[in-house]
């Protein structure tokens, strides 16, 4: 009675590891609703801010209003959709879980994301496609401590958390229930870029949407592989922090 067959099923063949569980999904209505809500609220916030500009309030107030109008409605919708169609947990339905390794995986994901804007930006530069950065001229509209702090909180904390919950959480997971994962990742990335369309920028939106779509696709691939969005939130925050630092300091001009 040797131990050579220990751990093997009858017949002597090694047992195969159990298949990976299916990727978490959420009904399509939740993802489409979240997408529609954030797109409409972001566009509406730009028009509202343009209308409020004449009041001459402190810049920090306008930044705070932009965050509230741009991200407040979609967070309310996601909470409602999770209770209506999902697991009654925003955390579970979006994949907002964290592991001790995530502070390491976040920068790794950021390095992967970095390849997309560099590659697409080079193509845009060579081909002459119109491009206008979404941080363009941000250093010329303010400069007070309150403005800088409010802008940084919105860009480095609020935007990464909310946008990852929406696009790599609700939108991606709703698509995964209806289409192959490669298609789902590609489509949510393209929609992520399109959601940043700014009516004020005109043709400059073309290059901006292309670059952000590439970043969104890579972030979507990372969220699919990790099955959670904390690493992509960290990567997203690093991207925004660097962009805001460059814009606020005027470095590279």
């Amino acid at each position: 009675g040797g131990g050579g067959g220990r751990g093997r099923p009858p017949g002597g063949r090694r047992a195969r590891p159990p298949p990976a569980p299916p990727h978490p999904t959420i009904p399509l209505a939740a993802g489409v609703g979240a997408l529609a809500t954030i797109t409409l609220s972001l566009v509406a916030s730009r028009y509202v801010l343009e209308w409020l500009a004449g009041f001459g309030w402190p810049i920090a107030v306008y930044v705070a209003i932009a965050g509230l109008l741009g991200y407040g409605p979609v967070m309310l919708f996601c909470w409602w959709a999770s209770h209506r169609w999902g697991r009654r947990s925003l955390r579970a339905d979006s994949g907002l879980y964290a592991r001790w390794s995530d502070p390491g995986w976040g920068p790794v994901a950021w390095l992967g994301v970095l390849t997309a804007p560099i590659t697409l930006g080079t193509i845009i530069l060579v081909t002459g496609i119109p491009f206008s950065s979404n941080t363009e001229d941000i250093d010329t509209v303010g400069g007070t401590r309150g403005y800088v702090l409010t802008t940084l909180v919105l860009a480095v904390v609020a935007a990464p958390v909310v946008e990852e919950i929406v696009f790599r959480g609700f939108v991606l997971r709703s698509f995964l229930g209806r289409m192959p994962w490669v298609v789902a990742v590609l489509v949510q990335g393209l929609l992520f870029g399109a959601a940043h369309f700014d009516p004020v920028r005109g043709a400059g939106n073309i290059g901006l949407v292309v670059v952000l779509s590439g970043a969104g696709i890579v972030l979507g691939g990372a969220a699919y592989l990790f099955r959670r969005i904390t690493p992509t939130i960290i990567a997203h925050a690093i991207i925004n922090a660097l962009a805001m630092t460059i814009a606020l300091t005027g470095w590279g001009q």
Side-chain angles (χ1 to χ4, degrees), residues 59-60 63 142-155 244 248:
I59 297 296
V63 176
T144 65
R145 179 179 299 179
Y147 162 73
V148 172
L149 290 176
T150 309
T151 302
L152 288 175
V153 169
L154 179 61
M244 292 301 301
L248 290 170

Side-chain angles (χ1 to χ4, degrees), residues 43-69:
V43 172
S45 69
R46 293 176 184 125
Y47 282 111
V48 171
L49 287 175
E50 188 175 357
W51 174 70
L52 292 175
F55 290 94
W57 295 335
I59 297 296
V61 174
Y62 289 110
V63 176
I65 292 174
L68 182 63
L69 295 179

Side-chain angles (χ1 to χ4, degrees), residues 22-126:
H23 199 287
T25 60
I26 192 170
L28 187 62
V32 172
L35 175 65
T37 303
I38 194 171
T39 302
L40 291 174
S41 59
L42 285 175
V43 172
S45 69
R46 293 176 184 125
Y47 282 111
V48 171
L49 287 175
E50 188 175 357
W51 174 70
L52 292 175
F55 290 94
W57 295 335
I59 297 296
V61 174
Y62 289 110
V63 176
I65 292 174
L68 182 63
L69 295 179
Y71 296 130
V74 74
M75 290 306 297
L76 288 174
F77 175 85
C78 288
W79 177 86
W80 176 81
S82 179
H83 285 71
R84 172 66 176 81
W85 292 300
R87 301 170 181 83
R88 302 183 67 83
S89 168
L90 182 64
R91 182 167 173 252
D93 287 323
S94 64
L96 190 58
Y97 298 108
R99 295 183 181 177
W100 289 108
S101 58
D102 287 346
W105 284 121
V108 171
W110 167 72
L111 289 174
V113 173
L114 196 62
T115 61
I118 291 176
T119 302
L120 293 172
T122 302
I123 295 174
I124 289 170
L125 184 64
V126 171

